[in-house]
C-alpha cells in the first residue's frame, strides 16, 4: 500500500500555503533553540490569540466556560494550552503532545578553564548524539544565568551575524590514524566535547604582587574571557554554578534542495511537531470545539521524560484538575474519567527512509519524506520494548479523521525489527487508559546537529493536527 506523494495533490493556493507555513516554521526554529525559548515564544503567540494564564483564573476563582482559552507553564520549560469545548470535560479531551527539548551540549557547573593558551568550556552532552558530529562546526550559546541577587540574565551568543561563534575542535587527518581505527562511538569521547572560546590573554593592569594579578597571570586567557563576560553580562565565574547554558548549532534553518522542497535546521526533533501542534491549536481561533482541545509541549523527552518539566511529572494531570475545578467538574473521579476518555496524538518525529542507509529500513513499513503525516502504531525496540501499542479501533478512528479532512498520511515503523528503535512520550499518558498513537513528521539525519524535513510533511502535520482537535 504505497502512499502517494503529497506534493501531487496541491494546487497553486496550497503551494502558497505550504511556503507560508514553512517560512513561519523556519523563523520559529531559528529563533528558539532551547526549551525555554520555545515555551516563551509559544506563550507570546497564545496570548496574542486570546489565551490567558490559568494561574490568574485560579487566583481569581474565575469560572471557565466553553470557548475559554488558558495556558499554564512548568518552570518556563513546559507548556499546556487548553481551549474549553462544548462537551463536559469528563467526556474526554483531544490532546496533542510534543516535546521542545533537543539533543545538545550543556555546560557543566564549573565549565571554564585554560589549557595551553586556550580558554575552553567543559560540557556534558544531552540526549542521544553521535559525538563526532559536533566537531568543527559553528556553535552558539543559549540559556540563562541566575544570580544570587535574584536576577536572571538571558544569554544568546553566536546567532547575530556580528556575534562570535564557538566550536569543538577536531584532529587533523594527518595525525588521526589511530583515531580513525576506533569505533564510531569512541572516535570522540564525551569528555572531549569541550568548547573553544578564547585565545587572547588579559593584559593585566593590576599591580604586581596583588592577589588578582597573580590569579590573572596564571590563566590570562581565561581571565580575559571572564572580563568580557563581566563587561557584557555582569557575570562572574561563580555564576556558572547557577546557570543553564546550552550549546547548539549556530545559524538559521534554511531551505534545502534546488526545488526548495525541504528544510535543514537544528532541533527539528521535535520542534517540527511542537510548532505544527501549536499552530493547529491556535487555528481554532474563537470557535468552541466539540471536545476540549489541548496542546502539551514538554521538556526532557530526550532523556526519559523525567523531572518536573517532563511528561512523567504531575504537571499535565494537575493542570487538567485545575481546569476541571474552574469548569465546575472538580474532583478526583471526574478527573480520572476525563483522562481515561481522552484521545491523544503523541506528536513526535519518525525516521524518514534515507536511500544512503536503506539497509536498516524495511521499505513497505517506512516513512518517506513528502508523503505526509506519519502514524507509528508502536515504537520501541526489538520486541516493541518500551512501546505504546495503539489499539486497532483507535487507529481506524484516526484514519477516518484524516481521510475526512483530506490529509496526506502514511504509517511506519522505526526501522527494521532488530536494527534499533526508539521511544516517545506516548506510553506515559496511556497509563490513564486514554487512546494514544504516535504521529509526526519524517526526518532525515535525526539527532544530528542539522536535521532534514519536507515542507509538504510539515504542512500535512499541521492540517492533520487541526483536524484531530476538531474531531
Amino acid at each position: 500500500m504505497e502512499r502517494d506523494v503529497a506534493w501531487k495533490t496541491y494546487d497553486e493556493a496550497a503551494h502558497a500555503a505550504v511556503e507560508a507555513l514553512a517560512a513561519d516554521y523556519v523563523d520559529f526554529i531559528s529563533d528558539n533553540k532551547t526549551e525555554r525559548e520555545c515555551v516563551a515564544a509559544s506563550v507570546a503567540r497564545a496570548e496574542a490569540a486570546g489565551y490567558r494564564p490559568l494561574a490568574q483564573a485560579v487566583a481569581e476563582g474565575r469560572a471557565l466556560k466553553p470557548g475559554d482559552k488558558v495556558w499554564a507553564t512548568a518552570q518556563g520549560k513546559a507548556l499546556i494550552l487548553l481551549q474549553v469545548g462544548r462537551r463536559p470535560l469528563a467526556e474526554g479531551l483531544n490532546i496533542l503532545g510534543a516535546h521542545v527539548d533537543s539533543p545538545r551540549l550543556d555546560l557543566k557547573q564549573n565549565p571554564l578553564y585554560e589549557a595551553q593558551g586556550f580558554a575552553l568550556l567543559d560540557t556534558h552532552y544531552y540526549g542521544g548524539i553521535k559525538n563526532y558530529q559536533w566537531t568543527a562546526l559553528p556553535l552558539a550559546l543559549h540559556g540563562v544565568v541566575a544570580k544570587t541577587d535574584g536576577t536572571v540574565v538571558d544569554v544568546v551568543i553566536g546567532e547575530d551575524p556580528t556575534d562570535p561563534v564557538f566550536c569543538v575542535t577536531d584532529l587533523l587527518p594527518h595525525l588521526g590514524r589511530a583515531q580513525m581505527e576506533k569505533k564510531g562511538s569512541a572516535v570522540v569521547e564525551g569528555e572531549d566535547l569541550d568548547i573553544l572560546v578564547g585565545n587572547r590573554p588579559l593584559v593585566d593592569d593590576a599591580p604586581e604582587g596583588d592577589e588578582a594579578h597573580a590569579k590573572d597571570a596564571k590563566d590570562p586567557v581565561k581571565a580575559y574571557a571572564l572580563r568580557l563576560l563581566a563587561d557584557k553580562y555582569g557575570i562572574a565565574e561563580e555564576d556558572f554554578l547557577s546557570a543553564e547554558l546550552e550549546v547548539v548549532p549556530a545559524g538559521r534553518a534554511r531551505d534545502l534542495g534546488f526545488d526548495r522542497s525541504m528544510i535543514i535546521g537544528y532541533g527539528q526533533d521535535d520542534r517540527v511537531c511542537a510548532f505544527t501542534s501549536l499552530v493547529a491549536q491556535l487555528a481554532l481561533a474563537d470557535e468552541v470545539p466539540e471536545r476540549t482541545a489541548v496542546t502539551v509541549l514538554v521538556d526532557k523527552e530526550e532523556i526519559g521524560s523525567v523531572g518536573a518539566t517532563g511528561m512523567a511529572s504531575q504537571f499535565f494531570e494537575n493542570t487538567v484538575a485545575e481546569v476541571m475545578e474552574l469548569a465546575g467538574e472538580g474532583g478526583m473521579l471526574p478527573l480520572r474519567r476525563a483522562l481515561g476518555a481522552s484521545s491523544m496524538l503523541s506528536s513526535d518525529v519518525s525516521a524518514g527512509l534515507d536511500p544512503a542507509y536503506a539497509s536498516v529500513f524495511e521499505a513497505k513499513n517506512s516513512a518517506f519524506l513528502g508523503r505526509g503525516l506519519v502514524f507509528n502504531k508502536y515504537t520501541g525496540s526489538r520486541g516493541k520494548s518500551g512501546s505504546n501499542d495503539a489499539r486497532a479501533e483507535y487507529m481506524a478512528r484516526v484514519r477516518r479523521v484524516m481521510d475526512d479532512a483530506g490529509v496526506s498520511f502514511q504509517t511506519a515503523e522505526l526501522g527494521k525489527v532488530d536494527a534499533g528503535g526508539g521511544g516517545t512520550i506516548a506510553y506515559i499518558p496511556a497509563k490513564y487508559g486514554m487512546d494514544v498513537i504516535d504521529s509526526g513528521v519524517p526526518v532525515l539525519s535525526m539527532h544530528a546537529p542539522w536535521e532534514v524535513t519536507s515542507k509538504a510533511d510539515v504542512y500535512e502535520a499541521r492540517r492533520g493536527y487541526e483536524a484531530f482537535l476538531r474531531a
Side-chain angles (χ1 to χ4, degrees):
M1 291 186 294
E2 186 171 309
R3 312 296 291 187
D4 207 355
V5 175
W7 291 103
K8 295 180 181 179
T9 68
Y10 298 154
D11 57 17
E12 188 175 340
H15 275 290
V18 168
E19 293 298 335
L21 182 67
D24 191 18
Y25 170 59
V26 164
D27 285 344
F28 185 86
I29 62 171
S30 297
D31 295 339
N32 304 294
K33 294 187 177 181
T34 70
E35 61 281 7
R36 287 177 183 266
E37 291 169 349
C38 286
V39 166
S42 298
V43 168
R45 287 184 179 228
E47 292 214 317
Y51 282 75
R52 296 294 174 259
L54 175 61
Q56 183 179 342
V58 171
E60 296 171 354
R62 186 173 72 247
L64 293 180
K65 61 186 185 303
D68 282 349
K69 299 180 283 190
V70 293
W71 62 264
T73 65
Q75 300 183 0
K77 300 181 188 179
L79 172 67
I80 292 176
L81 302 177
L82 185 145
Q83 189 160 346
V84 183
R86 289 191 181 87
R87 294 187 182 182
L89 281 87
E91 293 185 15
L93 324 168
N94 284 353
I95 306 164
L96 302 174
H99 66 92
V100 289
D101 61 315
S102 293
R104 60 181 190 257
L105 307 179
D106 286 343
L107 295 197
K108 292 184 178 181
Q109 284 189 283
N110 186 22
L112 185 61
Y113 69 99
E114 181 171 331
Q116 282 77 49
F118 294 103
L120 299 108
L121 290 169
D122 202 356
T123 72
H124 192 137
Y125 64 85
Y126 173 96
I129 68 170
K130 293 179 177 178
N131 295 353
Y132 63 81
Q133 292 180 329
W134 287 77
T135 63
L137 78 160
L139 299 171
L141 197 60
H142 289 236
V144 297
V145 178
K147 303 174 71 174
T148 55
D149 64 3
T151 60
V152 177
V153 181
D154 291 313
V155 175
V156 178
I157 308 172
E159 300 296 352
D160 190 280
T162 63
D163 282 352
V165 294
F166 314 101
C167 77
V168 177
T169 58
D170 200 1
L171 181 62
L172 63 162
H174 311 71
L175 300 178
R177 185 176 67 176
Q179 181 194 47
M180 296 303 291
E181 291 173 354
K182 295 180 180 180
K183 285 185 176 182
S185 59
V187 169
V188 177
E189 301 285 351
E191 281 291 356
D192 295 333
L193 292 171
D194 292 353
I195 310 303
L196 183 61
V197 299
N199 182 230
R200 177 177 169 182
L202 176 68
V203 179
D204 196 356
D205 52 8
E208 223 173 301
D210 183 86
E211 185 179 340
H213 176 86
K215 185 177 179 182
D216 293 346
K218 180 183 176 184
D219 293 314
V221 181
K222 173 183 172 181
Y224 189 60
L226 286 170
R227 173 75 63 87
L228 294 173
L229 289 172
D231 290 346
K232 183 170 178 61
Y233 294 104
I235 296 171
E237 185 172 10
E238 284 284 313
D239 293 325
F240 280 118
L241 296 175
S242 52
E244 290 181 0
L245 293 169
E246 302 176 11
V247 181
V248 299
R252 292 180 57 78
R254 301 280 297 275
D255 284 355
L256 177 66
F258 290 125
D259 55 7
R260 297 180 177 268
S261 62
M262 295 168 285
I263 295 166
I264 184 168
Y266 166 68
Q268 299 200 72
D269 175 12
D270 183 38
R271 291 174 190 140
V272 65
C273 295
F275 172 81
T276 46
S277 296
L278 169 68
V279 172
Q281 177 85 25
L282 300 185
L284 299 179
D286 293 326
E287 69 181 77
V288 182
E290 192 66 24
R291 280 162 59 103
T292 294
V294 183
T295 290
V296 184
L297 306 180
V298 291
D299 182 24
K300 299 293 189 288
E301 191 276 343
E302 297 295 356
I303 59 170
S305 297
V306 294
T309 56
M311 193 67 206
S313 74
Q314 295 297 305
F315 171 52
F316 169 67
E317 184 177 329
N318 290 347
T319 300
V320 175
E322 293 281 12
V323 169
M324 293 187 71
E325 184 70 29
L326 295 179
E329 298 183 53
M332 185 56 69
L333 186 56
L335 173 64
R336 296 298 168 197
R337 287 171 176 164
L339 296 174
S342 294
S343 300
M344 182 177 185
L345 298 185
S346 172
S347 308
D348 206 341
V349 296
S350 190
L353 191 147
D354 188 334
Y357 306 100
S359 62
V360 296
F361 293 89
E362 193 266 287
K364 32 176 225 311
N365 287 292
S366 292
F368 290 79
L369 265 66
R371 295 186 185 177
L373 180 61
V374 183
F375 289 98
N376 292 81
K377 186 176 184 294
Y378 46 83
T379 54
S381 57
R382 292 171 293 280
K384 300 185 182 179
S385 176
S387 171
N388 167 68
D389 198 341
R391 63 182 176 129
E393 294 88 345
Y394 185 49
M395 181 71 215
R397 282 168 48 203
V398 170
R399 284 176 54 206
R400 184 172 66 248
V401 170
M402 299 302 136
D403 286 341
D404 288 349
V407 174
S408 294
F409 73 92
Q410 53 187 318
T411 60
E413 295 183 4
L414 197 64
K416 284 185 175 179
V417 172
D418 289 324
T424 68
I425 65 171
Y427 74 96
I428 300 169
K431 71 183 180 182
Y432 297 115
M434 71 174 69
D435 280 312
V436 186
I437 190 168
D438 286 300
S439 71
V441 173
V443 175
L444 301 185
S445 303
M446 191 189 299
H447 281 213
W450 297 94
E451 300 167 315
V452 176
T453 57
S454 165
K455 292 180 179 178
D457 299 330
V458 177
Y459 180 65
E460 295 301 324
R462 178 247 188 269
R463 295 181 65 236
Y465 292 159
E466 184 178 343
F468 174 80
L469 291 177
R470 294 178 187 278

